[in-house]
Amino acid sequence: MVLRFCKIRKHGTLASNSQLAKGLLMLTSLLRLGEHQAKAKAKLDRDSRQRILTCIHALLHPEAVEEAFLAKCRERFHGMLQTYKAIDNADEGEDLDDHKEVDDVIAIRQLSAEKELHDVNADEAGVKKAVGADANTLDINSKLSRVYQLTGFADSVYAEAYLTVLDYDILLDILVVNQTDEALQKLTVELNTSGDLKLSDRVQEHTIAPHESKTINVSIKVSSTESGVIFGNIVYSTAKGVDKKIVVLNSIHMDIMDYIHPATCTDVEFRSMWAEFEWENKVSVNTDFTDLSEYLNHIVKITNMKCLTPDVEQYRECGFLAANLYACSIFGEDALLNLSVEQHKSGKITGYVRIRSKTQGVALSLGDKITSNQRKDAKPAAK
């Protein structure tokens, strides 16, 4: 207000100097009161003290900072409001896409027939949550990334599994190929799980003719975002012998990215959850990225989280970046991430990534994901 008054009444006039003196008196009084421990109810924090000192400097040299305070700050604040408005409009559009019209058929997977259970198109919302994209955007590469080789090509029984995550269910389509010249009798896939995974049904026994194949469907229930492992073996017997033969299967490590999806929250909610959550994982930044915005976009991509900090492009000229990311699991668990990095004159980026969550498994899994994939040439972590 003082700077705007001085701009209207011209600098150096009696009225302008009088208002400058009153403004400086008020600021110095506030500073002295905040630093006086006997009179102040709470000690003045560093940020508030620095802000007051900046305002004092601005009043002592009004012509030098007039443009920044009266024009640039107003433009930046207007841009921030427009960015928040665009984010809110985008979120409202996403919510409308999930609404059902009157008389639309609602597919409930638990009540569907068994032949419809493994139809991915029957639950497009589940697929969208599982892969973080619309079902129509699924390409061959994303499908192949969910194929797991369970046995070797030289084994008597070759097996591979196609994994689909649908909300609280994991569907395994296991392709079993008999590579021998004799029939395999009483063949069964014995699976076990660790973590919060539980087999829904026992796999039935099958008989497979020589060089024939069969697809076995297995359903597994999931109860939390904790990382889990699926392991087991294939047991069968032949017509010539009575002894059972066992082929050990490669284990399948569940990826936390299958359970979490980007979400949004207000700054007040973020700070409240940040203070409430007790599990924190602090990861040091060790990357070959030389652009702060590119590194932030890379972290957003590998963690499948949403950046809550608007207009991050402005940090390109500052040399430092601080951003908040947020995601929510299909089980309602929140994941918070704070990225604080700076860029040195050499171009190297250093800093820390702090992750907080209510559960230890989410914080550790996201930290491992960032540690193994934060470099440009990093190979995807083995599943």
Side-chain angles (χ1 to χ4, degrees):
M1 293 177 63
V2 173
L3 290 177
R4 191 170 298 279
F5 179 86
C6 294
K7 183 178 180 180
I8 297 174
R9 300 296 294 269
K10 306 299 181 182
H11 293 284
T13 62
L14 181 61
S16 298
N17 292 338
S18 176
Q19 293 299 323
L20 285 174
K22 290 181 180 179
L24 289 171
L25 179 61
M26 292 177 61
L27 292 174
T28 52
S29 300
L30 285 174
L31 190 63
R32 180 173 297 180
L33 177 63
E35 295 181 345
H36 198 288
Q37 297 182 356
K39 294 183 179 180
K41 296 182 179 180
K43 188 177 180 181
L44 190 68
D45 59 90
R46 288 185 177 182
D47 291 339
S48 300
R49 183 178 184 275
Q50 185 62 40
R51 179 66 177 175
I52 294 176
L53 291 177
T54 302
C55 293
I56 293 175
H57 178 77
L59 293 182
L60 291 175
H61 307 86
E63 297 181 356
V65 297
E66 184 179 87
E67 181 69 17
F69 269 74
L70 299 182
K72 297 296 183 181
C73 290
R74 183 182 182 89
E75 293 175 2
R76 180 61 61 185
F77 182 69
H78 177 73
M80 185 186 69
L81 292 180
Q82 293 297 325
T83 303
Y84 277 119
K85 184 177 180 181
I87 293 175
D88 293 339
N89 293 336
D91 292 338
E92 290 178 1
E94 293 177 0
D95 294 338
L96 292 176
D97 292 339
D98 296 333
H99 291 173
K100 292 288 185 180
E101 296 294 337
V102 178
D103 296 332
D104 281 355
V105 177
I106 300 177
I108 301 177
R109 188 172 58 260
Q110 286 77 5
L111 303 180
S112 302
E114 184 176 357
K115 64 179 181 179
E116 299 175 355
L117 182 61
H118 302 282
D119 184 8
V120 178
N121 295 327
D123 194 346
E124 294 181 359
V127 175
K128 185 175 180 180
K129 289 182 179 180
V131 301
D134 194 277
N136 296 327
T137 64
L138 294 177
D139 55 8
I140 188 64
N141 292 328
S142 63
K143 292 182 179 180
L144 290 177
S145 65
R146 296 181 173 274
V147 176
Y148 297 83
Q149 183 177 343
L150 301 181
T151 63
F153 293 107
D155 290 325
S156 57
V157 178
Y158 174 77
E160 65 181 24
Y162 178 74
L163 184 144
T164 305
V165 179
L166 297 176
D167 289 348
Y168 302 97
D169 298 324
I170 298 176
L171 306 180
L172 281 177
D173 294 332
I174 304 175
L175 174 64
V176 179
V177 181
N178 180 6
Q179 301 192 115
T180 65
D181 296 328
E182 49 188 1
L184 303 182
Q185 301 176 354
K186 296 182 180 180
L187 184 144
T188 181
V189 180
E190 296 180 349
L191 294 178
N192 293 284
T193 60
S194 66
D196 294 326
L197 304 177
K198 184 179 180 181
L199 289 172
S200 299
D201 302 309
R202 182 179 177 85
V203 181
Q204 298 179 352
E205 295 181 347
H206 301 275
T207 299
I208 304 179
H211 303 290
E212 293 291 330
S213 63
K214 189 172 186 61
T215 301
I216 301 174
N217 299 319
V218 181
S219 178
I220 299 175
K221 294 292 183 182
V222 187
S223 57
S224 75
T225 321
E226 300 284 343
S227 298
V229 181
I230 303 173
F231 57 96
N233 49 63
I234 295 178
V235 180
Y236 66 91
S237 60
T238 61
K240 294 182 179 179
V242 293
D243 295 336
K244 291 185 177 181
K245 296 184 179 181
I246 299 176
V247 178
V248 180
L249 303 178
N250 295 327
S251 58
I252 300 176
H253 295 264
M254 297 304 303
D255 192 351
I256 190 176
M257 297 299 105
D258 292 327
Y259 305 124
I260 69 173
H261 55 87
T264 184
C265 66
T266 64
D267 293 339
V268 175
E269 293 173 342
F270 187 93
R271 289 193 293 267
S272 177
M273 290 187 290
W274 186 269
E276 177 186 353
F277 294 167
E278 57 182 1
W279 290 106
E280 178 176 320
N281 189 7
K282 189 175 183 180
V283 180
S284 299
V285 173
N286 181 18
T287 181
D288 52 357
F289 280 88
T290 56
D291 186 272
L292 295 176
S293 298
E294 288 184 5
Y295 181 68
L296 172 62
N297 294 332
H298 181 67
I299 295 296
V300 171
K301 181 179 179 180
I302 63 177
T303 58
N304 199 25
M305 304 181 76
K306 182 173 183 178
C307 181
L308 303 179
T309 304
D311 198 13
V312 295
E313 295 295 330
Q314 62 178 315
Y315 293 101
R316 290 180 181 270
E317 303 175 358
C318 300
F320 67 91
L321 186 149
N324 295 329
L325 280 67
Y326 176 66
C328 184
S329 73
I330 60 178
F331 308 101
E333 299 167 327
D334 300 300
L336 310 177
L337 187 148
N338 174 259
L339 175 67
S340 300
V341 291
E342 64 175 335
Q343 187 176 25
H344 300 275
K345 293 183 179 180
S346 61
K348 183 177 177 61
I349 296 177
T350 59
Y352 294 95
V353 178
R354 299 170 63 190
I355 307 162
R356 287 195 179 185
S357 177
K358 274 188 176 181
T359 58
Q360 183 182 20
V362 176
L364 293 178
S365 299
L366 283 175
D368 294 340
K369 193 77 174 179
I370 294 174
T371 302
S372 58
N373 295 280
Q374 63 174 324
R375 301 183 66 87
K376 288 183 179 179
D377 55 351
K379 296 181 180 180
K383 295 182 180 180

